Amino acid sequence: MDERAIRQLLDDVRTGRCTADDAVAELRRLPFADLGFARVDHHRTLRHGTAETVYGPGKTPAQCVAIVDELLRGGTGPVVVSRADATQAAALAAAHPGAAATAGPSGTATLVWRARETWTARTGSDAARGDHGGEAAPVEIAGSPGAKHTHGDSPGPAVDASPIDAHAGPQVVIVAAGTADLPVADECAAVLSAHGVAPRRLTDVGVAGLHRLIDSVEALQSADIVIVVAGMEGALASVVGGLTGAPVVAVPTSVGYGAGLEGVTALLAMLSSCAAGITVVGIDNGYGAASATLRLLHTAGATTPLPELGGETVDPTTTSPPTTECAPGLGGEPIDPATASPPTSVAGPAAGAGKRAAS
């Protein structure tokens, strides 16, 4: 349950569309529902701006089904299952049809129900969902019939460097060093899209052919947040961090040979980057990169409306900044710092002694 749903519930009680007893029964699910094997956090959207995500590994298919059922019944926002295996995906598709499934790392999938509309769609733009501005292509996930399967690397250009639209919502760019990094990048994109953020994609622009990245440098410099997904030596994060002033979230991947140490080398390189201020998540953690990005956007007010005291939405592009109050004078009148005279310096004994010495 999010803030909008609570406001609607209170309004329904006020107007008589809902009884007080019904409202109490609904609110009893806050802040969590105890399923015995899991306590489903319905309060998380109010605290974080995003709902709880179900992490697949370690859970039985039946547990996944029960948790998703509770999330679907207890809220109105997106429901996300990360790293679901084929058996879990099949059980979830049978119990809760209609999920969008995106292939992720190690043969897993990210499943999404009730994805939010993109920011552009809510403002009336005809911009399409999807990583490259089109419909995603189907992909098979063995043993999981009934789900709508998609893959983030849909047909289209590997580089989307179209002009920035000032009204197109938050500009998040996912930069993948190589094609082998796409499963992690796609997981990241699926989670962002579930929460209404349509990322732009730059794919296969690693440092072995740096001219491919330089060709799209305008997209990096125009971005609000850049997510860099790279394995091998992980140098791409430092390069991007040096080209843009936007926050950079770096994701090391386990792609690489020998001394790549299954992502440890890239992880340490990103943590040691000379491009100051880079945020680094764990190896192959596309979900974590998306979550860090959503936190940044939520804090900046980019993904949720900012309610005024009267309940109206504040438009950050037109709202005037707060006026700085002048300090009150001794008589209670404000002091104008532009015209006020500076305080008169009073020479102390040392200054007087210095003058006498000079004479």
Side-chain angles (χ1 to χ4, degrees), residues 183-200:
V184 176
D186 290 344
E187 177 182 62
C188 180
V191 175
L192 289 173
S193 296
H195 294 282
V197 178
R200 300 153 66 89

Side-chain angles (χ1 to χ4, degrees), residues 4-356:
R4 184 185 307 173
I6 290 179
R7 287 181 180 274
Q8 182 63 54
L9 180 63
L10 294 176
D11 187 62
D12 288 346
V13 173
R14 180 180 62 83
T15 59
R17 291 192 298 265
C18 174
T19 67
D21 288 342
D22 289 339
V24 169
E26 187 72 21
L27 292 172
R28 193 171 285 126
R29 305 176 79 89
L30 291 176
F32 65 87
D34 192 348
L35 304 183
F37 58 85
R39 297 188 176 190
V40 180
D41 188 358
H42 290 303
H43 199 260
R44 191 168 304 185
T45 302
L46 288 172
R47 302 193 313 271
H48 292 180
T50 56
E52 179 179 15
T53 293
V54 183
Y55 177 68
K59 294 181 176 68
T60 67
Q63 289 171 338
C64 290
V65 167
I67 295 171
V68 167
D69 180 71
E70 177 60 33
L71 288 169
L72 289 171
R73 290 190 300 112
T76 58
V79 175
V80 179
V81 176
S82 68
R83 304 291 174 96
D85 62 26
T87 305
Q88 292 167 334
L92 286 164
H96 304 291
T102 301
S106 304
T108 63
T110 302
L111 308 179
V112 177
W113 292 260
R114 289 194 315 224
R116 292 193 188 279
E117 289 183 296
T118 60
W119 195 93
T120 49
R122 290 200 299 270
T123 55
S125 169
D126 58 357
R129 292 188 64 91
D131 301 325
H132 300 295
E135 288 296 322
V139 65
E140 276 300 319
I141 300 178
S144 56
K148 178 184 176 183
H149 303 303
T150 62
H151 193 290
D153 190 33
S154 57
V159 175
D160 175 9
S162 54
I164 293 290
D165 180 355
H167 301 288
Q171 300 295 320
V172 177
V173 178
I174 300 178
V175 182
T179 305
D181 298 308
L182 278 177
V184 176
D186 290 344
E187 177 182 62
C188 180
V191 175
L192 289 173
S193 296
H195 294 282
V197 178
R200 300 153 66 89
R201 302 291 291 269
L202 301 181
T203 299
D204 198 22
V205 290
V207 297
L210 201 55
H211 57 290
R212 300 172 297 178
L213 179 67
I214 299 302
D215 186 58
S216 302
V217 70
E218 183 181 349
L220 300 177
Q221 294 175 342
S222 302
D224 296 315
I225 301 174
V226 181
I227 300 168
V228 180
V229 184
M232 302 288 186
E233 79 295 339
L236 185 61
S238 294
V239 173
V240 171
L243 290 174
T244 179
V248 175
V249 180
V251 190
T253 71
S254 53
V255 172
Y257 305 102
L261 302 177
E262 297 184 341
V264 174
T265 297
L267 172 65
L268 296 178
M270 291 172 175
L271 290 171
S272 305
S273 174
C274 63
I278 290 178
T279 297
V280 183
V281 299
I283 297 169
D284 291 338
N285 193 1
Y287 168 79
S291 297
T293 299
L294 291 168
R295 278 180 177 262
L296 288 168
L297 293 175
H298 180 64
T299 301
T303 59
T304 53
L306 305 174
E308 293 179 325
L309 293 178
E312 298 296 323
T313 299
V314 176
D315 184 349
T317 63
T318 59
T319 304
S320 301
T323 305
T324 303
E325 296 182 359
C326 299
L330 294 177
E333 296 297 322
I335 297 174
D336 185 349
T339 59
S341 301
T344 304
S345 299
V346 179
K355 288 182 179 180
R356 288 191 297 273

